[in-house]
Amino acid sequence: MTARRNLWGWRWGLALAVLGCVVLVATGPAGAGEKKTYTSARYGYSLHYPAACGLKAIAQGAYVDLSYQGRGLSTITVERLDETGKAERRGTPDLWRAFMVERAKLSCDADGPDGTIYCKRVEQENTWKTASGLRVIELYLRKVRVDYGPPDKLTSSVVGPIYAVNISRKGYVFGLLVGSGYDYPHTPIEKEIVNKIISSVSLIPGSEFQPPKPHIVTPGPLFEGRPGRVLMLGPGK
């Protein structure tokens, strides 16, 4: 009888332990695997991000601020190459890449009375694609800091990853710049989250794309020559 009681006691204890595990799983972090979607009709892209992340977008998707667990994760900015920029870079073998690397380098620039900071060159570059086939370049840049003396003091470090995602379409050269010379994922978890967000980026259908409309510029005191068409993006871009 004692043996039978011990057996039933063991089985009851095992059942409670299993039930406890089920309860723990069921009451785990809510929304741990859930995703949300953000879409910018103006710039023609869409992305998914974990429900655990915060997302704040301004200027119709020209600037997106991502956070995770109350801490800044990364920023996403839309970079647009206009007709003047295209003309200045005419003949460049890889126009989009050259433009986005330039924008990534500029994200390092800072000047002050005590010194200056700039990104000098690309130390490492990886290329991959999003789940929808969009081109991504992952950059690590050499950042240089000059502290004015006398004597001047020069230090350098490698920063990154900074990402560029090609969201161009016919007639528009667009790129998403994810991160900057100061703002990029630092920890493995942050990098994994950002990578998943980038991998989810896709173009929205052309029928949903609502780009900025060009305005007619007419002659006036500050305008000489014939009227032309100028793309006015309005506040934010």
Side-chain angles (χ1 to χ4, degrees):
M1 180 65 72
T2 303
R4 181 175 295 179
R5 286 176 180 171
N6 289 339
L7 178 60
W8 278 106
W10 177 80
R11 287 179 176 175
W12 179 247
L14 178 61
L16 288 175
V18 172
L19 180 60
C21 290
V22 172
V23 171
L24 286 174
V25 171
T27 57
E34 295 178 4
K35 292 182 180 179
K36 294 184 178 181
T37 300
Y38 174 74
T39 300
S40 170
R42 167 164 282 201
Y43 299 104
Y45 73 91
S46 178
L47 60 81
H48 303 297
Y49 62 99
C53 289
L55 184 148
K56 180 180 180 181
I58 62 174
Q60 300 185 57
Y63 181 91
V64 175
D65 186 36
L66 293 168
S67 61
Y68 177 64
Q69 295 184 339
R71 173 181 168 181
L73 180 62
S74 189
T75 56
I76 302 176
T77 57
V78 174
E79 303 296 337
R80 177 184 176 275
L81 185 60
D82 59 19
E83 295 304 319
T84 300
K86 292 178 186 177
E88 291 173 348
R89 297 168 178 80
R90 185 173 290 115
T92 303
D94 192 339
L95 179 63
W96 179 82
R97 178 195 172 277
F99 173 64
M100 294 307 294
V101 169
E102 175 186 296
R103 300 305 299 175
K105 288 181 178 179
L106 286 174
S107 73
C108 287
D109 288 2
D111 289 304
D114 300 321
T116 185
I117 300 174
Y118 60 93
C119 275
K120 188 175 183 181
R121 62 177 180 269
V122 176
E123 287 288 338
Q124 181 182 338
E125 180 177 339
N126 303 318
T127 302
W128 44 285
K129 292 184 178 182
T130 68
S132 64
L134 301 180
R135 180 184 180 188
V136 180
I137 54 176
E138 178 180 331
L139 302 169
Y140 297 82
L141 306 178
R142 173 66 61 178
K143 186 163 77 171
V144 177
R145 178 188 179 101
V146 181
D147 293 306
Y148 301 144
D152 289 352
K153 180 182 178 182
L154 186 149
T155 56
S156 70
S157 60
V158 176
V159 296
I162 303 169
Y163 304 90
V165 187
N166 193 346
I167 58 168
S168 301
R169 60 177 73 215
K170 186 176 181 180
Y172 298 90
V173 179
F174 285 155
L176 294 182
L177 190 65
V178 185
S180 70
Y182 300 87
D183 163 45
Y184 49 87
H186 291 79
T187 68
I189 292 177
E190 290 177 343
K191 186 175 181 180
E192 181 181 359
I193 293 173
V194 171
N195 277 354
K196 288 183 177 179
I197 293 173
I198 292 172
S199 186
S200 75
V201 175
S202 62
L203 297 182
I204 63 175
S207 58
E208 300 176 12
F209 181 41
Q210 301 174 13
K213 302 296 182 182
H215 299 288
I216 300 297
V217 178
T218 57
L222 300 179
F223 184 92
E224 297 295 336
R226 299 174 58 188
R229 297 183 70 85
V230 178
L231 190 63
M232 306 292 287
L233 295 179
K237 202 69 177 171

